[in-house]
Amino acid sequence: MHKYGYDPHAYEERYRRVYEAGAEFWEEPIATEALVKFIQEFNLPAGLMVVDLGCGEGRDSIFLSKTGFHVIGIDVSPSAVKRAKKWARREGALLDFLVADVAELPIRSEVYDLAVNVACLHMIIDQNVRNHHLREAFRVLKSGGIYFSCNLGVDEPVSVEEFRKKPGGFVSRKVKVEGKEKEILLPIIPAWPKTREQYLDEFTQAGFKILKVYREETKPIGSCWILVAKK
């Protein structure tokens, strides 16, 4: 078990299994719907400095780069980051990727205009670590910087054990290999989605001011609380 409350090797094994099965991507290589809507609604100017926290294969990082932002994507899985770099080169997207833990960001303070967290925060199952991650995000943002969070949401508080009734072991997932679906087994990793009030409390305790919060069914994540906060 990692000191931050999860095992990064489990994430790496998931991506490794996907690629060894012959799939090019774990998920559809399209940007998160809610993020696309946010960028359009807020009409953010090109040239902003953006950090994508838990970027995975880079779908949102590449979208943000092609939108005109200066982007760095950060993920704990070397295989995911390697795939993200390959995909970015193919797309002609100029951006950086870094293998690192989002709970201990190895980047300078007060540099970024926007921090993006899509389906990463809900994977941190230790409250102290979640709080530390948010303080780290607050640290690297400029004054007035924005944090965009799109993470699984619930209506009533739920424990990690309740949300994932079968901890450990494997779960069946389908991936696309040469245009056809293939079923593979992936390690089960626990998650901890929060209620609207719980997310609000986490962000305000970290020093953020809430600009907007709403519930949305968004591809490819599912039913999420979308939270936009300002430093």
Side-chain angles (χ1 to χ4, degrees):
M1 181 63 70
H2 193 264
K3 68 178 180 178
Y4 296 133
Y6 62 89
D7 181 3
H9 299 294
Y11 288 88
E12 173 63 12
E13 184 179 355
R14 275 188 159 203
Y15 283 108
R16 181 181 57 77
R17 283 174 175 263
V18 168
Y19 303 142
E20 288 180 351
E24 184 175 12
F25 297 109
W26 179 348
E27 296 177 322
E28 294 252 2
I30 55 174
T32 304
E33 285 183 329
L35 176 61
V36 175
K37 292 178 183 178
F38 160 74
I39 295 298
Q40 293 171 344
E41 179 184 346
F42 275 67
N43 195 28
L44 300 175
L48 295 183
M49 299 288 290
V50 181
V51 56
D52 185 5
L53 303 164
C55 66
E57 298 168 314
R59 65 170 188 265
D60 292 326
S61 296
I62 292 171
F63 158 72
L64 291 163
S65 175
K66 295 177 76 172
T67 301
F69 304 129
H70 300 293
V71 181
I72 182 170
I74 295 177
D75 199 273
V76 74
S77 167
S79 291
V81 168
K82 182 178 179 180
R83 186 56 51 100
K85 290 180 177 179
K86 180 180 179 181
W87 182 14
R89 287 194 298 269
R90 191 173 71 189
E91 291 290 316
L94 299 177
L95 68 159
D96 294 318
F97 289 100
L98 181 65
V99 177
D101 196 310
V102 298
E104 287 289 350
L105 296 173
I107 50 181
R108 292 183 295 124
S109 302
E110 300 184 347
V111 169
Y112 295 90
D113 302 286
L114 173 65
V116 171
N117 187 310
V118 174
C120 177
L121 181 58
H122 68 233
M123 300 305 298
I124 302 176
I125 60 172
D126 183 295
Q127 188 60 59
N128 289 330
V129 180
R130 290 171 76 113
N131 295 341
H132 188 69
H133 158 71
L134 290 172
R135 290 194 298 269
E136 277 284 271
F138 190 90
R139 174 183 66 80
V140 303
L141 282 170
K142 297 176 182 176
S143 177
I146 302 296
Y147 187 116
F148 172 85
S149 170
C150 174
N151 284 272
L152 288 177
V154 291
D155 293 318
E156 298 293 334
V158 61
S159 68
V160 175
E161 292 74 20
E162 290 170 328
F163 186 71
R164 290 284 186 258
K165 293 182 173 58
K166 295 180 180 180
F170 295 85
V171 62
S172 175
R173 285 289 300 269
K174 291 182 179 179
V175 296
K176 285 188 178 180
V177 179
E178 297 181 349
K180 297 181 180 180
E181 286 192 339
K182 181 177 182 178
E183 189 169 338
I184 63 175
L185 295 177
L186 298 178
I188 294 175
I189 299 178
W192 194 9
K194 295 293 191 84
T195 65
R196 177 182 185 276
E197 291 71 23
Q198 287 175 321
Y199 278 123
L200 288 172
D201 184 59
E202 288 180 322
F203 277 82
T204 54
Q205 284 195 33
F208 286 101
K209 296 178 181 178
I210 309 303
L211 299 180
K212 190 173 184 179
V213 58
Y214 55 98
R215 188 76 171 269
E216 185 171 292
E217 184 77 26
T218 185
K219 294 180 181 179
I221 313 303
S223 181
C224 295
W225 281 112
I226 315 297
L227 191 148
V228 183
K230 183 178 180 179
K231 178 175 177 177

